[in-house]
Amino acid sequence: MAKQHYGQNRGRSGAKGGKVDLGPRVVAARIICRVVDGRSLSDVLTTGLLEVPPQDKALVQELCYGVLRWWLRLHWIAHSLLERPLKQRDGDLEVLILIGIYQLLYMRTPTHAAVAETVEGVRGLGKPWASGLVNGVLRNLIRNQDDLLVSIGEDVAADLSCPEWLLGMLKKAWPDDWRSILEATNARPPMSLRVNLKRSTRSDYCAMLQKASIAAKLIPGATCGVLLDKPQDVFGLPGFADGLVSVQDGGAQLAAGLLDLQSGQQVLDLCAAPGGKSCHILELAPADIKLTAVDIHAERLQRVQENLERLGLQATLYAGDAAEPEGEWADTEYDRILLDVPCSATGVIRRHPDIKL
């Protein structure tokens, strides 16, 4: 797909100029537009969810992650159903159509509700003229779904929602396994928790989960790790708001333990945002260690601070470039340095599907 700008019309008016409340599909469309324009989903979702009432947050997240996970597949289907491509200024409308297609193919939303709510979303985008277009595309999908899903199988990149450049690299590196690898990257990721051992034990926290009817099991090799059978809204987790537990992959939980933290040490965490490893260091370490957390993106340090505050922890935060260290944090000597450098991230596409864009 050719790169195009998905800058959105931020109008909130309907056909008669009246104010329209933004629904979860419109909020999701706006978030996805920002991702397609080059932002990280993790970053824009945090601020985007501020527009959403609590009961709709899970739906917005599901739509954002799902549409981005299946972006190329949904895009292929949409363009097969459209009589002509949409204009560049209507990128937000195209995303809304993808959201409707995603609901019909991948969610349990009743068909009539998926169509009606998506069509209603055009008013939230300030484009009521497009209601017939969106309705027609989605109705056409319902009628021709079986034939479309057969046809898309002839385009491997679209069918597996994988960019051509990545598909070619995977075929070359793993000629016998590339398809199973791609199928795995399109699967929903598990939800792992890290118990704050300064405030609880794994066994006590698992008992709290059991009492809340949330099934879980221990993660072997990760002394703080708990794996949920099904993902949950974090604010529905026992003790989350009080700092008893955080969300962190089991593999990522191994890093802090490898530092062999000792009393009185100066510790540096570089590329620290959003702060999962920083917080884990402080949860494991003696109370008298001093932690400095640095990230090149100053705005992302706010996430680190929020996590520290929720967990009742303290660290010194700096915005800085690990590749060109300067300033007070760079002039300090450290006993331990944790460096989680940026990488291709192809190993975490399952959790961050926006990488494929």
Side-chain angles (χ1 to χ4, degrees):
M1 182 186 72
K3 175 69 174 177
Q4 66 177 23
H5 180 65
Y6 272 63
Q8 27 199 308
N9 181 328
R10 293 188 178 275
R12 300 168 71 109
S13 297
K16 297 182 179 180
K19 185 175 179 181
V20 178
D21 292 332
L22 295 180
R25 291 158 185 82
V26 175
V27 175
R30 291 183 167 183
I31 290 172
I32 294 168
C33 283
R34 296 181 68 192
V35 173
V36 177
D37 278 342
R39 296 291 304 276
S40 159
L41 175 59
S42 299
D43 290 345
V44 298
L45 192 60
T46 301
T47 54
L49 287 177
L50 297 177
E51 300 183 66
V52 183
Q55 66 270 20
D56 289 337
K57 290 184 186 296
L59 175 57
V60 171
Q61 291 187 81
E62 168 69 20
L63 294 173
C64 289
Y65 278 97
V67 168
L68 291 167
R69 178 173 292 113
W70 293 105
W71 177 267
L72 291 175
R73 197 169 204 258
L74 301 174
H75 193 271
W76 188 97
I77 293 171
H79 279 242
S80 298
L81 296 168
L82 287 165
E83 292 184 0
R84 63 183 65 88
L86 294 172
K87 295 179 180 179
Q88 184 172 345
R89 64 173 180 265
D90 293 321
D92 54 351
L93 181 60
E94 182 170 358
V95 171
L96 184 65
I97 291 173
L98 301 189
I99 286 173
I101 295 173
Y102 176 73
Q103 292 173 94
L104 291 172
L105 295 183
Y106 293 100
M107 295 181 66
R108 296 180 178 178
T109 309
T111 299
H112 68 278
V115 174
E117 293 296 332
T118 305
V119 171
E120 178 63 21
V122 302
R123 298 180 67 233
L125 295 178
K127 299 180 178 180
W129 55 265
S131 59
L133 170 66
V134 174
N135 182 70
V137 169
L138 298 183
R139 297 289 180 188
N140 199 7
L141 170 61
I142 294 169
R143 289 191 296 270
N144 299 291
Q145 176 176 329
D146 292 342
D147 290 340
L148 281 168
L149 296 183
V150 170
S151 297
I152 198 174
E154 299 173 4
D155 185 335
V156 177
D159 192 32
L160 294 175
S161 198
C162 179
E164 290 281 2
W165 64 267
L166 180 57
L167 177 62
M169 294 173 67
L170 289 172
K171 283 184 172 181
K172 182 178 180 180
W174 290 284
D176 299 324
D177 303 309
W178 60 269
R179 181 176 286 275
S180 61
I181 290 171
L182 286 175
E183 289 171 349
T185 66
N186 286 327
R188 292 174 180 268
M191 186 171 181
S192 304
L193 306 179
R194 184 190 75 240
V195 178
N196 184 352
L197 297 185
K198 275 186 162 55
R199 298 194 175 189
S200 184
T201 65
R202 274 206 304 183
S203 58
D204 287 346
Y205 190 75
C206 284
M208 295 175 66
L209 289 174
Q210 185 175 17
K211 187 175 181 180
S213 300
I214 299 175
K217 53 181 172 288
L218 303 183
I219 299 177
T223 58
C224 313
V226 175
L227 181 67
L228 301 184
D229 282 9
K230 296 180 180 179
Q232 304 284 329
D233 180 357
V234 291
F235 294 103
L237 293 172
F240 179 84
D242 299 322
L244 291 185
V245 68
S246 299
V247 178
Q248 187 180 38
D249 281 347
Q253 293 182 33
L254 301 178
L258 295 174
L259 293 175
D260 186 27
L261 300 163
Q262 304 295 325
S263 178
Q265 288 180 331
Q266 289 269 8
V267 181
L268 174 65
D269 183 6
L270 288 169
C271 309
K277 296 183 181 70
S278 293
C279 293
H280 194 194
I281 288 170
L282 293 169
E283 290 173 1
L284 290 182
D288 61 345
I289 76 154
K290 295 181 179 179
L291 176 68
T292 300
V294 178
D295 199 88
I296 194 170
H297 299 292
E299 67 275 11
R300 297 194 72 205
L301 287 172
Q302 180 60 36
R303 292 279 306 280
V304 181
Q305 184 61 41
E306 291 170 357
N307 283 322
L308 289 168
E309 291 175 357
R310 182 179 62 83
L311 294 165
L313 303 170
Q314 290 186 331
T316 303
L317 309 184
Y318 288 99
D321 187 350
E324 298 180 4
E326 60 180 2
E328 184 177 356
W329 70 268
D331 293 334
T332 303
E333 292 187 353
Y334 298 95
D335 301 290
R336 300 286 188 272
I337 299 176
L338 175 61
L339 182 59
D340 185 7
V341 300
C343 63
S344 69
T346 51
V348 293
I349 286 176
R350 182 169 62 169
R351 192 168 298 284
H352 301 283
D354 49 315
I355 289 169
K356 294 192 285 187
L357 272 65

